[in-house]
Amino acid sequence: MNKDVVILTGAGQIGMAIARRVGYGKKIVVGDKSMKNAEAVAKIMNNAGFDAVPIEMDLSSRESILNMIGEAQKHGEISMLINAAGVSPSQAPIEAILKVDLYGTAVLLEEVGKVIKAGGVGVTISSQSGWRMPALTAEQDELLATTPTEELLKLEMLQPKNIKDTLHAYQMAKRCNEKRVMAESVKWGERGARLNDIAPGIIVTPLAIDEFNGPRGDFYKNMFAKCPAGRPGTADEVANVAELLMSPAGAFITGSTILIDGGATASYFYGPLKPEK
């Protein structure tokens, strides 16, 4: 018997938390570059009564994305996308961050948008980081939103000479994610489907712990200490927002980004996290 299918990319804490909220009664295809990680999350979910299957998937490869979509369609129509895959500034060089987080996400949203079921919904995870860089021009934003996917990495603003470091690459990628969601949501809407973005702040996950122990660890610890919430967030708090966005209660929300960062961005602009001039 065919079921509605949920594609989950990124076998991590945030993606799994969201899948547990919306994946019951559906087939969940768990894609990750590490088959070991995909198998681990699928096992946890199956042991909790879900129906999950793992698949190896490289977000930086269109061929790999198409293969995952093809495997998912063997189980039924794709009704949901949860994209929580990506790499952080301490995990990868500039080129890899742009290829995975920027290009790969754009390809995934494009390709799933071609096959998403009527009434379907997607959510992708960006980051507060995209909100903490100077505003781009309207022309630059439009280029990030609408440039054909295979031309994205050729944009002048994304050339190595214009990217200062891995954090800057990450910020550009996450800004692109948000703009891409806006543009792709229009196309998804033609199929009767919705697409949104969540921009989390510091959420305690293995990836975040890598950051805490990395070269910018003190920066991140200071950030959550001086945000209004006074703490980092949890994957389940991100899932609370995703559950709204992916449920009928969020039926009028599409093309949007929800910032969930404990007020860190507000503090960055108007509070104790504001950089000294």
Side-chain angles (χ1 to χ4, degrees):
M1 181 180 73
N2 282 358
K3 294 182 177 182
D4 279 356
V5 179
V6 179
I7 289 180
L8 165 60
T9 61
Q13 295 297 316
I14 292 176
M16 181 167 61
I18 296 171
R20 289 174 72 104
R21 299 294 184 90
V22 301
Y24 38 81
K26 302 178 178 70
K27 192 79 173 185
I28 304 168
V29 177
V30 183
D32 196 276
K33 189 172 183 180
S34 165
M35 189 63 174
K36 181 179 178 181
N37 290 347
E39 289 171 342
V41 164
K43 182 178 179 181
I44 290 169
M45 297 203 69
N46 287 331
N47 286 343
F50 292 89
D51 182 6
V53 293
I55 185 171
E56 189 173 338
M57 189 280 307
D58 179 358
L59 187 62
S60 70
S61 163
R62 184 185 295 271
E63 181 182 4
S64 184
I65 289 169
L66 289 172
N67 177 65
M68 177 187 61
I69 290 171
E71 289 298 314
Q73 289 177 311
K74 293 178 181 178
H75 301 285
E77 285 190 280
I78 297 169
S79 65
M80 290 184 170
L81 168 68
I82 303 164
N83 176 36
V87 293
S88 77
S90 295
Q91 291 179 317
I94 289 171
E95 294 77 10
I97 290 170
L98 295 177
K99 189 74 184 289
V100 175
D101 290 2
L102 190 149
Y103 165 80
T105 296
V107 172
L108 180 67
L109 300 182
E110 174 184 56
E111 294 295 349
V112 174
K114 295 175 182 177
V115 298
I116 190 76
K117 180 181 180 180
V121 62
V123 67
T124 192
I125 304 298
S126 62
S127 169
Q128 64 164 358
S129 203
W131 296 55
R132 298 167 69 88
M133 58 185 285
L136 300 178
T137 66
E139 291 77 13
Q140 288 174 317
D141 278 340
E142 185 167 357
L143 285 171
L144 290 177
T146 62
T147 296
T149 45
E150 294 305 318
E151 303 295 318
L152 265 173
L153 295 180
K154 299 176 185 177
L155 290 175
E156 178 66 18
M157 71 182 106
L158 299 179
Q159 298 314 298
K161 64 182 181 181
N162 296 318
I163 301 293
K164 293 180 290 187
D165 53 26
T166 58
L167 178 59
H168 186 209
Y170 187 74
Q171 290 174 328
M172 288 295 289
K174 297 308 179 179
R175 179 70 63 86
C176 181
N177 293 167
E178 295 177 11
K179 298 303 177 183
R180 211 77 195 177
V181 162
M182 292 180 73
E184 287 295 333
S185 72
V186 179
K187 300 175 185 177
W188 282 48
E190 294 170 0
R191 298 182 63 87
R194 297 185 296 111
L195 175 65
N196 289 294
D197 174 71
I198 297 174
I202 299 173
I203 307 297
V204 178
T205 64
L207 184 148
I209 291 170
D210 281 349
E211 292 292 330
F212 296 161
N213 295 323
R216 281 180 288 274
D218 289 342
F219 170 82
Y220 288 105
K221 292 171 186 175
N222 181 62
M223 188 188 303
F224 67 70
K226 292 183 179 177
C227 75
R231 63 171 177 85
T234 67
D236 282 279
E237 288 175 304
V238 178
N240 289 340
V241 176
E243 186 175 20
L244 166 65
L245 293 175
M246 301 183 81
S247 75
F252 199 53
I253 308 172
T254 192
S256 294
T257 292
I258 307 296
L259 180 65
I260 170 173
D261 69 348
T265 299
S267 184
Y268 178 82
F269 284 102
Y270 309 114
L273 285 173
K274 188 172 184 177
E276 295 181 5
K277 292 183 179 179

